[in-house]
Amino acid sequence: MTFQEAAEKCIESKKHEWKNAKHAQQWSNTLGTYAYPIFGDIAVSDVDTDLVLKAIEPIWISKAETASRVRQRIETVLDWARARGYVEGENPARLRGHLDNILAKTAKVKRVKHHPAVPYKQISEFMEQLRERTGSSALALEFMILTAARTGEVRGAKWKEVDLTTNVWTVPAERMKAGREHRIPLSKRAVAILMSIQSNRNPEEFVFPGWKAGTGLSDGALLALMKKIAFGPYTPHGFRSTFRDWAAEEAYEFSNETVELALAHTIKNKAEAAYRRGDQLERRRELMAAWANYIDQQVEQQEQRK
């Protein structure tokens, strides 16, 4: 039995004790994001400390709360597998007397303020300040957040890539990190941003122009804007992580595959890549609409609390 198979059976057996049905999907999403790519197809009996660390150590500091949940869920799955006779010996994901001797203390990690990504539950506070700004950089940054795209993809966007009839932005292969064309469905708010831009929409014109005629925004334009907003020590690229964390914890109706497609991530598992068909454009359209709606609802609630 592989770890993923054990996890799926564990989740199925435990979901009846959870009051909220979305907990099961949260488990699947977080394990699908951080554990399965590392050891999902490995026999559950072969999961050791090194593999557990490989899954959680990269996010132990930057995403302390998420990392803690992932570790706990891995530990629970391995405990389930041991109780069923699939695993013997000590649990390699246990914290006390084991991983706590390797990793930084959780309580101290949670006090670290220098996270690269804005926590998704604070997105309303940031977005409220961002929407008070005007200019190409502010529009580009919000558009980037709504599309979960990379900074360079947004800065280099040209009107010829945007279809306002189907509301799809197609980034050509040569501008994508993975070297493959990427279609991005645009939410109503993302379309509204494009419609608000004063432009003749010449196909070769940059959507978000820079200071000089015929140029796009500079490399540091979005980072400079974030520094002016002074919300925290975050980076524009970090919003992809913000989106990913939101999807794992809140967008439980969407599969991990759909979210990975939205982020244009390369599939490392060759078997999975071989069986993937299509880019789930319409399903991703629903996902990006849900993301935009979440942001708007959080902003509205933030305003009501004032």
Side-chain angles (χ1 to χ4, degrees):
M1 178 177 287
T2 66
F3 176 84
Q4 183 169 346
E5 291 171 339
E8 290 169 352
K9 290 181 179 295
C10 174
I11 292 169
E12 180 64 26
S13 68
K14 293 184 70 63
K15 71 179 184 181
H16 303 291
E17 71 187 54
W18 292 324
K19 295 180 180 179
N20 194 327
K22 86 174 186 178
H23 287 168
Q25 194 59 51
Q26 288 176 339
W27 273 57
S28 296
N29 286 349
T30 52
L31 290 174
T33 300
Y34 302 106
Y36 296 167
I38 305 299
F39 49 82
D41 57 355
I42 291 178
V44 66
S45 58
D46 290 338
V47 176
D48 57 17
T49 300
D50 286 341
L51 288 172
V52 174
L53 286 172
K54 192 174 180 181
I56 64 174
E57 203 164 19
I59 60 170
W60 192 253
I61 298 297
S62 61
K63 301 178 182 178
E65 185 175 351
T66 299
S68 180
R69 289 178 181 175
V70 173
R71 186 207 63 76
Q72 290 170 8
R73 290 166 184 173
I74 293 172
E75 181 180 22
T76 299
V77 170
L78 294 176
D79 277 343
W80 177 91
R82 183 172 58 176
R84 290 281 182 171
Y86 297 111
V87 172
E88 296 180 356
E90 294 282 2
N91 193 319
R94 69 191 186 280
L95 185 65
R96 183 171 296 182
H98 185 53
L99 294 183
D100 59 356
N101 293 319
I102 303 172
L103 300 166
K105 302 299 181 184
T106 305
K108 294 182 179 179
V109 169
K110 290 182 178 179
R111 287 197 292 270
V112 175
K113 296 181 179 180
H114 296 282
H115 300 308
V118 173
Y120 76 87
K121 290 185 178 180
Q122 294 179 24
I123 190 68
S124 61
E125 300 169 40
F126 178 83
M127 194 63 75
E128 190 175 31
Q129 294 183 49
L130 175 60
R131 289 177 177 174
E132 292 176 354
R133 300 275 173 167
T134 59
S136 189
S137 293
L139 292 176
L141 182 55
E142 183 174 358
F143 186 80
M144 189 194 76
I145 293 169
L146 291 167
T147 57
R150 295 180 176 87
T151 307
E153 294 159 10
V154 172
R155 290 189 298 101
K158 292 186 176 181
W159 285 108
K160 65 182 179 181
E161 301 173 0
V162 179
D163 187 336
L164 290 175
T165 302
T166 59
N167 293 337
V168 173
W169 167 33
T170 303
V171 186
E174 60 268 23
R175 294 209 306 107
M176 290 299 300
K177 182 178 180 180
R180 291 194 305 272
E181 179 183 275
H182 181 47
R183 295 193 298 169
I184 303 175
L186 303 175
S187 64
K188 290 181 179 179
R189 174 60 185 168
V191 171
I193 289 173
L194 296 179
M195 297 297 288
S196 72
I197 298 173
Q198 298 296 319
S199 170
N200 60 14
R201 296 178 192 162
N202 183 307
E204 294 298 329
E205 183 182 346
F206 286 99
V207 175
F208 302 103
W211 288 106
K212 294 182 180 180
T215 65
L217 292 171
S218 66
D219 290 348
L222 301 187
L223 180 58
L225 174 60
M226 290 190 69
K227 288 182 177 180
K228 288 180 181 178
I229 294 175
F231 188 78
Y234 306 115
T235 64
H237 187 79
F239 282 106
R240 284 169 57 82
S241 293
T242 302
F243 167 77
R244 192 67 188 83
D245 291 343
W246 164 80
E249 295 295 338
E250 303 289 341
Y252 54 90
E253 67 270 35
F254 297 99
S255 69
N256 180 64
E257 181 184 5
T258 301
V259 177
E260 290 296 290
L261 282 168
L263 290 165
H265 279 163
T266 302
I267 308 175
K268 296 180 180 179
N269 186 306
K270 292 183 179 180
E272 182 185 348
Y275 282 99
R276 176 175 287 181
R277 296 291 183 270
D279 63 357
Q280 296 187 22
L281 180 67
E282 294 309 312
R283 186 57 172 158
R284 288 190 292 115
R285 191 184 296 277
E286 296 174 9
L287 172 64
M288 303 320 291
W291 172 230
N293 289 338
Y294 174 81
I295 292 173
D296 286 342
Q297 289 169 3
Q298 294 300 307
V299 170
E300 184 177 344
Q301 291 175 13
Q302 178 78 7
E303 293 175 347
Q304 290 175 351
R305 287 193 289 267
K306 291 185 176 180

